[in-house]
Amino acid sequence: MSDIVVFSGSAHRALAEEICSHLGVPLSRSETTRFSNDCLQVQLLANCRQRDVYIVQPLVPPTQDHLMELLLMVDAARGASAASVTVVIPHYAYARSDKKDASRISIGGKLVADLLATAGVNRVVTMTLHAPQVHGFFSVPVDHLTALGELADHYRAQDLSNAIVVSPDFGNAKTASQFARLLGLPVAAGSKQRKADDKVVIDTIVGDVAGKRAIVLDDEIATGGSIIELMDKLKEFGVTEASVACTHGLFAGKAVERLRSHPAITEVVTTDTVPAPADWPELKVRSVAPLFAEAIARIHAGESVSSLFDGVDPAHAPPQPKLPL
């Protein structure tokens, strides 16, 4: 691994440090300066010449600042004669802007992918994109990781005899079905209509959930509005309690207050793709740093990244042995 150099933007340095710890390489220093006119400037403080550069930066609030910082870091690496530049974006925020569902509306997911390619990115490593088609927005190779196996490990230690996996909407139902197979559980889904960014209506629940403990699985929780609406509808259908799991726990606005105070929610489980709220000690956070470190090691060694998740779906072979780092 001596030919790689890893940098971190300011969005989630703790995750980058943990990834480097698993890789056995130091996290190289960089410096971001904000000028009086609000412009940013980035300087990479380690040699990049003819080395494979990896830049870790989830797109979390303030999202525009972190996106611009990432683009500037890519530009600095290209200008420093890096052999290749791979951006590790654990949370790709603009994946929610994935289609033209109104007149004269922007498609941010595609625009940001184009910006990254124009800046000089050779490869993107990300996790749990909001919609599968976002993968196709990129003109460079994308390694799309999943946290389903990590989240499933949390529940395997529990009594699941009366549990059911519930997706908040039909769009996430396929992923929820895969998660349910990992745990050997049935699956249900809510019929959701989104009225605004923080307002949804769930008409009904498809599946037999009466008298069961729900494991609600979503890809991302922002304000928590969808989850609370789903919990109210599940109560109508006879659900006694629920555990909530997601890959990207943004918990914006009143989300922490909403989820902590809901009487039917027994726990909330997420991963560290984004920084966890400082005021929520009960939140259970699963680390995905080993997955990203292993993906980087496989990319550097020219090995398959997708085979890292062979065991996530029981229809495939067991997980492959890890490469020595």
Side-chain angles (χ1 to χ4, degrees):
M1 306 299 292
S2 60
D3 293 332
I4 79 166
V5 57
V6 181
F7 295 99
S8 173
S10 58
H12 198 357
R13 191 172 299 273
L15 176 61
E17 290 173 345
E18 190 175 352
I19 290 172
C20 286
S21 176
H22 286 280
L23 283 171
V25 301
L27 178 61
S28 297
R29 294 176 56 240
S30 65
E31 189 174 89
T32 300
T33 304
R34 186 184 297 272
F35 293 109
S36 57
N37 64 356
D38 204 38
C39 291
L40 297 178
Q41 176 181 279
V42 168
Q43 183 180 15
L44 305 180
L45 301 178
N47 179 32
C48 302
R49 187 175 298 274
Q50 296 307 306
R51 303 178 76 186
D52 294 328
V53 172
Y54 293 82
I55 303 171
V56 181
Q57 179 87 317
L59 299 183
V60 296
T63 305
Q64 278 53 251
D65 278 6
H66 289 144
L67 172 59
M68 191 64 199
E69 182 184 34
L70 176 61
L71 293 170
L72 290 170
M73 294 181 80
V74 172
D75 180 72
R78 301 305 304 181
S81 301
S84 68
V85 179
T86 298
V87 289
V88 180
I89 310 177
H91 173 58
Y92 185 69
Y94 279 93
R96 294 184 68 172
S97 178
D98 63 328
K99 55 186 174 295
K100 188 173 181 179
D101 52 6
S103 300
R104 297 169 297 283
I105 197 168
S106 60
I107 305 177
K110 179 67 167 66
L111 175 61
V112 172
D114 289 343
L115 287 171
L116 290 167
T118 301
V121 167
N122 297 105
R123 179 179 294 270
V124 175
V125 182
T126 188
M127 177 170 278
T128 312
L129 292 168
H130 181 68
Q133 66 265 26
V134 175
H135 193 146
F137 290 171
F138 292 88
S139 58
V140 297
V142 177
D143 291 301
H144 187 196
L145 312 186
T146 177
L148 284 187
E150 189 62 39
L151 292 173
D153 284 344
H154 172 80
Y155 290 101
R156 288 192 179 102
Q158 301 180 4
D159 179 9
L160 301 177
S161 56
N162 193 40
I164 184 170
V165 174
V166 180
S167 171
D169 53 57
F170 294 145
N172 192 56
K174 183 177 180 180
T175 301
S177 297
Q178 184 178 350
F179 188 65
R181 288 197 301 272
L182 285 173
L183 298 175
L185 296 176
V187 65
S191 175
K192 183 174 78 174
Q193 298 181 48
R194 181 168 292 280
K195 303 297 184 180
D197 178 50
D198 60 350
K199 177 62 178 177
V200 300
V201 174
I202 296 181
D203 302 317
T204 189
I205 302 295
V206 178
D208 183 13
V209 298
K212 295 184 178 179
R213 174 196 174 213
I215 298 176
V216 177
L217 178 72
D218 208 350
D219 64 322
E220 172 187 326
I221 297 178
T223 64
S226 296
I227 300 298
I228 298 304
E229 181 74 16
L230 177 65
M231 293 305 305
D232 293 342
K233 184 60 66 173
L234 286 173
K235 183 179 179 181
E236 292 180 24
F237 278 71
V239 169
T240 55
E241 63 179 46
S243 172
V244 176
C246 69
T247 299
H248 309 299
L250 297 173
F251 306 123
K254 297 182 179 179
V256 174
E257 177 186 343
R258 285 172 165 175
L259 297 171
R260 290 181 74 178
S261 62
H262 199 285
I265 297 178
T266 59
E267 65 175 353
V268 178
V269 186
T270 188
T271 76
D272 58 353
T273 57
V274 303
D279 57 345
W280 197 356
E282 304 90 352
L283 179 68
K284 295 178 172 60
V285 181
R286 307 284 298 191
S287 177
V288 291
L291 286 176
F292 280 103
E294 181 67 15
I296 290 172
R298 288 171 180 248
I299 291 168
H300 189 64
E303 300 288 343
S304 170
V305 173
S306 62
S307 65
L308 179 60
F309 301 101
D310 282 348
V312 170
D313 189 331
H316 291 81
Q320 299 297 307
K322 291 187 176 181
L323 291 174
L325 300 180

